[in-house]
Amino acid sequence: MIFVSASVTAIFSAKLSRDPLKSGSYGVGFTINKGVYAELSDSEGVFLNGESISFPTVEFVLRKLNAKGVELRSEVPISCGFGVSGASALATALEIAVRKNIPFFEAADVAHEAEVVNRTGLGDVVTQCFGGVVARLKAGSPSRAVVDRYLFKEKLDFLVMGELPTEDVLKRDMKYINRTGKKYLKEFLRKPSVSNLFDASKKFAIESGLADDDIINVIEAVESHGGKASMIMLGKGVFALNGWEAFKEFKGEKFRADIDFCSYKIL
Amino acid sequence: MIFVSASVTAIFSAKLSRDPLKSGSYGVGFTINKGVYAELSDSEGVFLNGESISFPTVEFVLRKLNAKGVELRSEVPISCGFGVSGASALATALEIAVRKNIPFFEAADVAHEAEVVNRTGLGDVVTQCFGGVVARLKAGSPSRAVVDRYLFKEKLDFLVMGELPTEDVLKRDMKYINRTGKKYLKEFLRKPSVSNLFDASKKFAIESGLADDDIINVIEAVESHGGKASMIMLGKGVFALNGWEAFKEFKGEKFRADIDFCSYKIL
């Protein structure tokens, strides 16, 4: 069985190319100590939390790496910006890699390709391949991307108010969002601290227009309680430092998790 | 406090350049679930397992990153091929990085530089930066090296018969060793499996002349018991799969450890 961490994107700038392996995103994200477990199975297709489902991103991985089926279990909500599709694709690819002696990056690139082709994510698999707080400095598949990492060990609070499928956002005119993402990636890199990650990410969320009033309300409530918060990219949700107290005023699923540097495990 | 895994090199080919960051090694190594703990201290200099020592590689890191002193604790023997100098340098650099918000690869490159300048290692820090079974496909510092990883999750046995300081080996005429290392790196990459890692590594150890009769005796004893074994680069010691029974015939320190994919932890 393989575990892959859920990941949250704080800042991004999409880069789409005709070649899925050259597609990806610039930005900053982090992995947490909750995620997705995958185990290959003899039943055809994809099972998620016990139910047979259509999951084209994972089916792509199964097909490309010649496996029949996989059972997935997710500890975090789906389509809410926790990189569940990336974690599912990567965990499935690594499960197959263990059994067939496929090198890590060959398997990881297939998971990334599956995400790009199905428009379910652009940067999660890269973040999940390295772990911790990961800045993606050159966009592309895991074997091509250039990253740096930051040693922020924090306990974070998450509030999930609803879904926001990546696919829908990628259909928008992305030019302005991408320019804004690059601006705030640079602002983070100028002074890479936890505090500045929240500041740069919040400015990006607001300036890009991705954060709606509900999100901004939560961020302001956390700040008025002395915490820090920003928007989960891409989900209708917020991640926060010392946000628990403020979250009580809002409806939605709440949980806590640690930033985790071990983003994949063979169990 | 930071933990960094000990690492064992199975195959290597040294690459020395005038620039320490362009120096390094090609080869294959792996990290284990024992290693070195580092904690910055107010006492000047380096303490290892409770004693004040001269440790130029770590002192280089302290000086370059402006820290006063560090307390180290090693779970594995020193100067025996477990990458203790690399783990000590990297753990010290990451301890400082956490407190000063230094990016991961900037800190890791300093640890690598410290190893190269002091001739204590060429590839350990890179292996320790990525974790698990790591092939170094392009030599250089952590931020410059190109690696792949392999998902071999194994419990290994280690026999340590004596010291073999890296510095002494690097003084030899390295041309033949390096050519042989590249040959067996390629042989491993052709079919990256646990079994082939042992085969390629053993052939490298013998053909390069690095394995002496004592080492070869142990390897043969393990094989006659149905296990697999090769030489720890660079130490007078052996790592083995199912080697415990055969090890009983030999004198030396024996222990078991798992290949570990989480090669650094912030505690």
Side-chain angles (χ1 to χ4, degrees):
Chain A
M1 194 175 358
I2 295 277
F3 167 83
V4 171
S5 289
S7 70
V8 171
T9 301
I11 300 167
F12 76 93
S13 174
K15 187 204 158 207
L16 288 170
S17 151
R18 226 172 294 175
D19 181 351
L21 298 178
K22 289 182 184 163
S23 301
S25 66
Y26 299 82
V28 188
F30 54 86
T31 56
I32 58 176
N33 63 346
K34 289 177 191 284
V36 174
Y37 294 81
E39 189 156 30
L40 292 185
S41 84
D42 292 332
S43 312
E44 197 135 349
V46 183
F47 289 74
L48 177 62
N49 296 336
E51 283 182 38
S52 169
I53 59 157
S54 160
F55 200 152
T57 302
V58 176
E59 286 154 22
F60 181 102
V61 173
L62 290 172
R63 214 164 40 237
K64 186 125 184 181
L65 298 176
N66 287 313
K68 203 170 171 194
V70 67
E71 285 185 33
L72 303 168
R73 186 164 64 79
S74 176
E75 295 175 314
V76 295
I78 293 150
S79 291
C80 296
F82 292 96
V84 171
S85 62
S88 299
L90 182 58
T92 301
L94 296 184
E95 257 284 281
I96 302 169
V98 167
R99 294 170 200 224
K100 297 192 179 177
N101 282 328
I102 300 170
F104 181 88
F105 281 120
E106 196 179 317
D109 277 2
V110 171
H112 176 84
E113 190 185 349
E115 284 260 272
V116 173
V117 166
N118 290 285
R119 294 284 182 270
T120 48
L122 289 171
D124 290 312
V125 174
V126 170
T127 301
Q128 287 154 348
C129 282
F130 293 96
V133 179
V134 177
R136 298 182 305 281
L137 307 173
K138 193 189 138 201
S141 72
S143 71
R144 289 162 181 258
V146 173
V147 304
D148 208 341
R149 312 171 191 164
Y150 304 90
L151 299 155
F152 311 152
K153 186 182 165 66
E154 300 289 348
K155 193 174 275 303
L156 298 178
D157 304 315
F158 298 89
L159 171 65
V160 181
M161 295 184 285
E163 295 189 6
L164 187 60
T166 303
E167 211 183 333
D168 295 352
V169 176
L170 292 181
K171 277 178 193 157
R172 295 191 200 182
D173 176 7
M174 293 289 297
K175 269 194 184 164
Y176 178 67
I177 296 176
N178 290 342
R179 212 165 48 233
T180 312
K182 280 215 176 164
K183 174 179 164 188
Y184 287 105
L185 168 60
K186 265 191 204 159
E187 189 158 311
F188 166 72
L189 294 173
R190 206 171 295 140
K191 192 185 158 206
S193 65
V194 179
S195 172
N196 196 34
L197 175 60
F198 277 98
D199 292 346
S201 171
K202 183 183 82 172
K203 285 180 196 160
F204 166 61
I206 292 169
E207 209 171 301
S208 66
L210 289 164
D212 62 16
D213 286 348
D214 294 340
I215 301 272
I216 293 171
N217 281 343
V218 178
I219 293 173
E220 287 175 351
V222 172
E223 288 175 346
S224 75
H225 277 80
K228 289 269 194 186
S230 185
M231 179 186 170
I232 293 169
M233 302 286 169
L234 294 163
K236 193 171 165 72
V238 168
F239 66 98
L241 199 61
N242 301 318
W244 205 251
E245 210 35 52
F247 281 0
K248 286 181 182 165
E249 302 164 25
F250 299 93
K251 277 188 192 157
E253 188 178 339
K254 294 148 198 172
F255 68 91
R256 299 185 123 167
D258 296 333
I259 293 177
D260 196 352
F261 297 83
C262 293
S263 54
Y264 65 95
K265 294 191 190 96
I266 308 174
L267 305 166
Chain B
M1 193 172 3
I2 295 276
F3 167 83
V4 171
S5 290
S7 70
V8 171
T9 301
I11 300 168
F12 76 93
S13 174
K15 188 204 158 206
L16 289 170
S17 151
R18 227 171 294 176
D19 181 351
L21 297 178
K22 289 182 183 164
S23 301
S25 66
Y26 300 83
V28 188
F30 55 87
T31 55
I32 58 175
N33 64 346
K34 289 176 191 284
V36 174
Y37 295 81
E39 190 156 31
L40 291 186
S41 85
D42 291 332
S43 313
E44 198 137 348
V46 184
F47 288 74
L48 177 62
N49 296 337
E51 284 181 37
S52 169
I53 59 157
S54 160
F55 200 153
T57 301
V58 176
E59 286 154 20
F60 181 101
V61 173
L62 290 172
R63 213 162 43 237
K64 186 125 185 182
L65 297 176
N66 288 313
K68 204 171 170 192
V70 66
E71 286 185 32
L72 303 168
R73 185 164 64 79
S74 176
E75 296 175 314
V76 295
I78 294 150
S79 290
C80 296
F82 292 96
V84 171
S85 61
S88 299
L90 182 58
T92 302
L94 296 183
E95 258 284 280
I96 303 168
V98 166
R99 293 170 201 225
K100 296 192 180 177
N101 282 327
I102 299 170
F104 181 88
F105 281 120
E106 196 178 318
D109 278 1
V110 171
H112 176 84
E113 190 184 350
E115 283 260 273
V116 173
V117 166
N118 290 284
R119 294 284 183 270
T120 48
L122 289 171
D124 289 314
V125 174
V126 171
T127 301
Q128 287 153 348
C129 281
F130 292 95
V133 179
V134 177
R136 299 182 306 281
L137 308 174
K138 194 189 138 200
S141 72
S143 71
R144 289 162 183 257
V146 174
V147 304
D148 208 340
R149 313 171 190 162
Y150 304 90
L151 299 156
F152 310 151
K153 185 181 165 67
E154 301 288 347
K155 193 174 275 303
L156 299 177
D157 305 315
F158 297 90
L159 171 66
V160 181
M161 295 184 286
E163 294 189 5
L164 186 61
T166 302
E167 211 183 334
D168 295 353
V169 176
L170 292 180
K171 276 178 195 156
R172 296 189 199 182
D173 176 6
M174 293 289 297
K175 269 196 186 163
Y176 178 67
I177 295 177
N178 290 342
R179 213 167 46 234
T180 312
K182 278 214 177 166
K183 175 180 164 186
Y184 286 107
L185 168 60
K186 264 191 205 159
E187 188 158 312
F188 167 71
L189 294 174
R190 205 170 297 141
K191 192 184 158 204
S193 65
V194 179
S195 173
N196 196 34
L197 175 59
F198 276 98
D199 292 345
S201 172
K202 184 183 81 172
K203 285 180 196 161
F204 167 61
I206 292 169
E207 209 170 301
S208 66
L210 289 164
D212 63 14
D213 286 348
D214 294 340
I215 300 272
I216 294 171
N217 281 344
V218 177
I219 292 174
E220 287 175 350
V222 171
E223 289 176 346
S224 74
H225 277 81
K228 289 270 192 185
S230 185
M231 179 185 171
I232 293 168
M233 300 287 166
L234 292 164
K236 194 173 164 70
V238 168
F239 66 98
L241 200 61
N242 301 318
W244 204 251
E245 210 37 51
F247 281 180
K248 286 181 182 164
E249 301 163 26
F250 299 93
K251 277 187 193 159
E253 188 178 340
K254 295 148 199 172
F255 68 91
R256 300 185 122 166
D258 296 333
I259 293 177
D260 196 353
F261 297 83
C262 293
S263 54
Y264 66 95
K265 294 189 188 95
I266 308 173
L267 304 165

